[in-house]
Amino acid sequence: GAVVSQHPSRVICKSGTSVKIECRSLDFQATTMFWYRQFPKKSLMLMATSNEGSKATYEQGVEKDKFLINHASLTLSTLTVTSAHPEDSSFYICSARTQTYEQYFGPGTRLTVT
Amino acid sequence: GNSVTQMEGPVTLSEEAFLTINCTYTATGYPSLFWYVQYPGEGLQLLLKATKADDKGSNKGFEATYRKETTSFHLEKGSVQVSDSAVYFCAPGGGTDKLIFGTGTRLQVFP
């Protein structure tokens, strides 16, 4: 199957700093990628849809100025958590959609804000 | 929009027991249906899918049938293993639609 990677897998940052998470489709091109947030023992919450070459579409209640998404190429989307606070600590998962509309997920990034 | 309801977990079974995890959905039209599995500390992996009514998706001994009349996509496995312990997510959607995830059902299999 198609492979999606995320980097870093774990990150610890101080409150007030920004952190960038990368999502890459390794063996296919993805015009659309998705960013999810998962709370402990909870389902995945879709944060935004990232479209290559255009602005991301954010779900209701997600602050676009806090969670900056850039889909710079057909294989890379980045999520930047700006001015992070402890409540932003979570497991962030991306997925990439193939041309046949299947979604493949990255392994996730554990963010801890101290 | 689409929505999905999964049975509450955790589901606790002994090895070689039969597994059923219920999933029902509401949707406009006829979405594709997916089961994803999440092992501890990892992202989601596609387990199986069905794209139209009466299709049966299967993988690694798991199977699920797209039941349009009952809007269900129950996951089954005849004999579970300890290594099947994970969280299972049912999701309608796909295509140009967003995937909508259920709350997930945690499966714990003991030797």
Side-chain angles (χ1 to χ4, degrees):
Chain A
V3 180
V4 176
S5 69
Q6 276 184 246
H7 178 79
S9 58
R10 291 177 178 273
V11 58
I12 301 173
C13 70
K14 292 186 177 181
S15 188
T17 62
S18 296
V19 60
K20 180 186 288 188
I21 302 170
E22 293 185 348
C23 177
R24 294 183 184 272
S25 55
L26 298 185
D27 51 1
F28 66 99
Q29 294 183 331
T31 55
T32 303
M33 292 184 175
F34 302 88
W35 286 98
Y36 296 84
R37 182 173 178 177
Q38 186 178 32
F39 295 95
K41 299 185 178 181
K42 297 288 186 182
S43 186
L44 279 73
M45 181 192 78
L46 178 64
M47 299 174 66
T49 302
S50 170
N51 298 295
E52 188 268 337
S54 64
K55 291 183 179 180
T57 303
Y58 290 82
E59 296 299 303
Q60 191 173 10
V62 178
E63 298 177 62
K64 62 180 181 181
D65 294 330
K66 180 168 187 60
F67 298 99
L68 300 179
I69 291 172
N70 183 28
H71 195 150
S73 76
L74 289 172
T75 58
L76 173 65
S77 175
T78 60
L79 169 68
T80 301
V81 183
T82 62
S83 187
H85 288 94
E87 57 265 31
D88 298 325
S89 299
S90 194
F91 194 52
Y92 292 88
I93 302 175
C94 75
S95 70
R97 190 162 70 189
T98 70
Q99 292 181 343
T100 53
Y101 299 107
E102 292 179 330
Q103 276 192 43
Y104 291 89
F105 287 78
T109 297
R110 172 75 58 194
L111 170 63
T112 303
V113 184
T114 60
Chain B
N2 299 344
S3 66
V4 59
T5 301
Q6 281 183 242
M7 62 188 294
E8 292 280 336
V11 174
T12 303
L13 295 172
S14 298
E15 207 164 23
E16 299 183 2
F18 184 86
L19 168 71
T20 299
I21 299 178
N22 291 337
C23 169
T24 57
Y25 66 92
T26 59
T28 52
Y30 302 103
S32 295
L33 300 173
F34 302 84
W35 275 100
Y36 284 86
V37 58
Q38 185 178 31
Y39 298 101
E42 299 183 11
L44 274 68
Q45 300 176 26
L46 176 63
L47 180 60
L48 54 83
K49 68 176 182 179
T51 57
K52 61 182 187 296
D54 300 325
D55 264 3
K56 178 184 286 187
S58 61
N59 185 28
K60 300 181 180 180
F62 291 90
E63 58 183 35
T65 301
Y66 191 142
R67 300 288 187 198
K68 185 177 68 174
E69 63 277 10
T70 55
T71 61
S72 64
F73 193 53
H74 304 322
L75 182 68
E76 296 182 335
K77 186 173 185 180
S79 176
V80 293
Q81 305 299 312
V82 173
S83 58
D84 293 327
S85 298
V87 181
Y88 293 81
F89 293 92
C90 179
T96 56
D97 293 336
K98 295 176 283 192
L99 284 175
I100 303 300
F101 287 93
T103 54
T105 302
R106 183 174 301 275
L107 171 65
Q108 297 174 324
V109 181
F110 293 96

